[in-house]
Amino acid sequence: MQTRKGQSIEDASMQMIEDEIGSHPYNEKEWPIVRRIIHSTADFDFADKNRIIFHKDAIQSGMNALRNGCSIIVDVNGVIGGLNKQNPKDFGNKIICNISSPEIMELAKKEGKTRSQVSMRAAIADIEGGIVAIGNAPTALLEVIQMVREGIVKPALIIGIPVGFICAAESKEALSNLEEVPFITNIGRKGGSSSASAVINAIFKLIRADHRLE
Amino acid sequence: MQTRKGQSIEDASMQMIEDEIGSHPYNEKEWPIVRRIIHSTADFDFADKNRIIFHKDAIQSGMNALRNGCSIIVDVNGVIGGLNKQNPKDFGNKIICNISSPEIMELAKKEGKTRSQVSMRAAIADIEGGIVAIGNAPTALLEVIQMVREGIVKPALIIGIPVGFICAAESKEALSNLEEVPFITNIGRKGGSSSASAVINAIFKLIRADHRLE
């Protein structure tokens, strides 16, 4: 929920992005998603040097799953922080982030892994048919890709936009080569939890626009 | 709390930033803060085009206040999401984010303001002597600056790194001209909740380093 003042600032921001972006390669469903990432980062590199890559089925699959109340599994609490909470409330989506659970910490220490990595395999039941959104940890994204390749899980959509210096770009390249599952990712090191939340918020906007058209 | 694996990734990332940054204008207390922002965004512009500006008393004032258990008042939940929660737990800092409260929503509608803007004036008792961290809303930052100018509140530190197209750069320029209160801000449109959290996490690291030296 936004106030009129908040909405007018958002509208003016989106208009500034439209005015400054020039030509871009995105179609009419992709562009609102990319535009919302630029809105949340003030970084036009997400349409260019660090551009967003969409699997051909990504948006439709994500819209269908979210509309049907699928779970949203995230790697860090920052992704939850950036979500418009009215959407999961209205559509009945459970939001899961296990990184802070003591069992995950224990297991990660034992296995010599990161907490976010271990938290993915622990969420397997929710990931099946759900939306995975990785905004921070390449290790978590690589784990989900590995789980898909093992054939043990098939999410409706993987949003993989981790940020960082170690394996971030590489994990996203691996995701962009995944054929089994729809994905939204980007090129290079940049990304982050705000960008991952922006993608989810934007897909919910597309769902609501569809509803208005029906 | 981080696993050994998580810590080793962080250390390697910081080393990559050191290797790539070249010369920079920051002193030994400022640089770990800027480096952590770059770490959380993979964006070297924060040391250059969108560089971080420190009031001369900012770091010491922030360290003193956090160490003594001051409140941390944030504009959006995303800033909380990015915080290392062990720090406020160990030092007894209350974290305050009122943006989702129904009373704030009601008041914002009535006054034609944004929710985050109204949430600042509602948190006046905690802001006095506390740390304000704005990662998203220029309107919230401008409200805090206005409250300081009115002489009704004096935070220990204002971290003002909102992101955006409407008034973000302008609100940060206003903060950088504030004389009454220490601040950390940056130039231009870029910023965000991850950057605001990064500053707080980095100041806590400086506090812990000081403790180890004692």
Side-chain angles (χ1 to χ4, degrees):
Chain A
M1 286 284 288
Q2 222 166 8
T3 58
R4 194 174 297 183
K5 175 80 175 172
Q7 189 60 53
S8 81
I9 293 173
E10 181 180 315
D11 293 346
S13 303
M14 293 301 184
Q15 190 54 54
M16 284 184 84
I17 297 171
E18 294 286 356
D19 293 345
E20 293 185 30
I21 186 71
S23 70
H24 61 73
Y26 301 106
N27 69 32
E28 61 175 358
K29 292 231 155 158
E30 292 166 352
W31 172 235
I33 296 175
V34 178
R35 191 177 55 190
R36 189 154 289 274
I37 294 173
I38 295 171
H39 172 254
S40 77
T41 57
D43 194 339
F44 285 93
D45 282 353
F46 286 103
D48 179 21
K49 201 173 68 167
N50 298 99
R51 70 180 171 281
I52 307 297
I53 305 169
F54 294 86
H55 179 284
K56 64 179 175 44
D57 302 325
I59 298 176
Q60 199 55 55
S61 181
M63 286 174 71
N64 292 346
L66 285 174
R67 184 166 21 209
N68 291 324
C70 76
S71 295
I72 302 170
I73 303 91
V74 306
D75 61 337
V76 292
N77 287 303
V79 181
I80 300 177
L83 290 181
N84 177 337
K85 304 298 184 303
Q86 195 62 44
N87 291 318
K89 204 189 273 182
D90 288 351
F91 290 92
N93 313 93
K94 189 166 73 166
I95 302 172
I96 292 143
C97 181
N98 288 326
I99 191 172
S100 303
S101 120
E103 296 77 37
I104 293 295
M105 182 54 154
E106 210 47 54
L107 196 59
K109 276 185 178 168
K110 208 175 101 186
E111 299 188 351
K113 295 178 177 171
T114 68
R115 291 180 297 151
S116 50
Q117 182 179 3
V118 170
S119 77
M120 288 298 132
R121 209 166 276 263
I124 206 160
D126 283 295
I127 290 177
E128 181 65 31
I131 310 265
V132 181
I134 308 289
N136 192 272
T139 51
L141 178 53
L142 289 170
E143 188 75 8
V144 174
I145 294 171
Q146 178 62 26
M147 287 157 63
V148 169
R149 288 198 178 129
E150 287 170 16
I152 57 172
V153 76
K154 193 164 177 177
L157 172 64
I158 302 173
I159 300 165
I161 315 186
V163 60
F165 293 85
I166 307 297
C167 273
E170 295 81 350
S171 70
K172 292 186 272 192
E173 203 184 329
L175 180 59
S176 71
N177 290 320
L178 200 65
E179 286 171 6
E180 298 91 328
V181 169
F183 59 79
I184 298 174
T185 186
N186 78 315
I187 291 176
R189 290 169 167 177
K190 282 187 184 172
S193 50
S194 305
S195 299
S197 324
V199 172
I200 296 175
N201 291 338
I203 295 177
F204 273 119
K205 284 231 174 214
L206 291 173
I207 293 172
R208 291 188 189 272
D210 260 15
H211 280 216
R212 277 193 295 273
L213 293 177
E214 273 162 13
Chain B
M1 286 284 287
Q2 221 165 8
T3 59
R4 195 173 297 182
K5 176 79 176 171
Q7 189 60 53
S8 81
I9 293 173
E10 181 179 316
D11 293 345
S13 303
M14 293 300 185
Q15 191 53 53
M16 283 183 84
I17 297 170
E18 294 286 356
D19 293 345
E20 293 184 31
I21 185 73
S23 70
H24 61 73
Y26 300 107
N27 69 32
E28 60 175 359
K29 293 231 155 159
E30 292 166 353
W31 173 235
I33 296 174
V34 179
R35 191 178 55 192
R36 190 154 288 274
I37 294 173
I38 296 171
H39 172 255
S40 78
T41 57
D43 195 339
F44 285 94
D45 282 355
F46 286 103
D48 180 21
K49 200 172 68 167
N50 298 98
R51 71 180 170 281
I52 307 296
I53 305 169
F54 295 87
H55 179 283
K56 66 178 173 45
D57 302 325
I59 299 177
Q60 199 55 55
S61 181
M63 287 174 69
N64 292 346
L66 285 175
R67 185 166 21 211
N68 292 325
C70 77
S71 295
I72 303 170
I73 304 90
V74 306
D75 61 337
V76 291
N77 287 303
V79 180
I80 300 177
L83 290 180
N84 177 336
K85 305 297 185 303
Q86 195 62 43
N87 291 319
K89 205 190 273 181
D90 289 352
F91 292 91
N93 313 93
K94 189 166 70 165
I95 302 172
I96 292 142
C97 181
N98 288 328
I99 191 172
S100 303
S101 121
E103 294 79 35
I104 294 295
M105 182 56 155
E106 210 46 53
L107 197 59
K109 277 185 177 168
K110 208 175 102 187
E111 299 187 352
K113 296 179 176 171
T114 67
R115 291 180 298 151
S116 50
Q117 182 180 4
V118 170
S119 77
M120 288 297 131
R121 208 165 276 262
I124 207 159
D126 283 294
I127 289 177
E128 181 66 30
I131 310 265
V132 180
I134 307 290
N136 193 271
T139 51
L141 178 54
L142 289 170
E143 187 75 8
V144 175
I145 294 171
Q146 177 63 26
M147 287 156 65
V148 169
R149 287 197 179 131
E150 288 171 15
I152 57 172
V153 77
K154 193 166 177 177
L157 173 63
I158 302 173
I159 300 166
I161 316 186
V163 60
F165 293 85
I166 307 296
C167 272
E170 294 81 351
S171 70
K172 293 186 273 193
E173 202 184 329
L175 179 59
S176 72
N177 290 320
L178 199 67
E179 285 171 7
E180 298 91 327
V181 168
F183 59 79
I184 299 174
T185 186
N186 78 315
I187 291 176
R189 291 168 167 177
K190 282 187 185 173
S193 50
S194 306
S195 300
S197 324
V199 172
I200 296 175
N201 291 337
I203 295 177
F204 272 119
K205 284 232 173 214
L206 291 172
I207 293 171
R208 290 188 189 273
D210 259 16
H211 279 216
R212 278 193 296 274
L213 293 176
E214 271 162 15

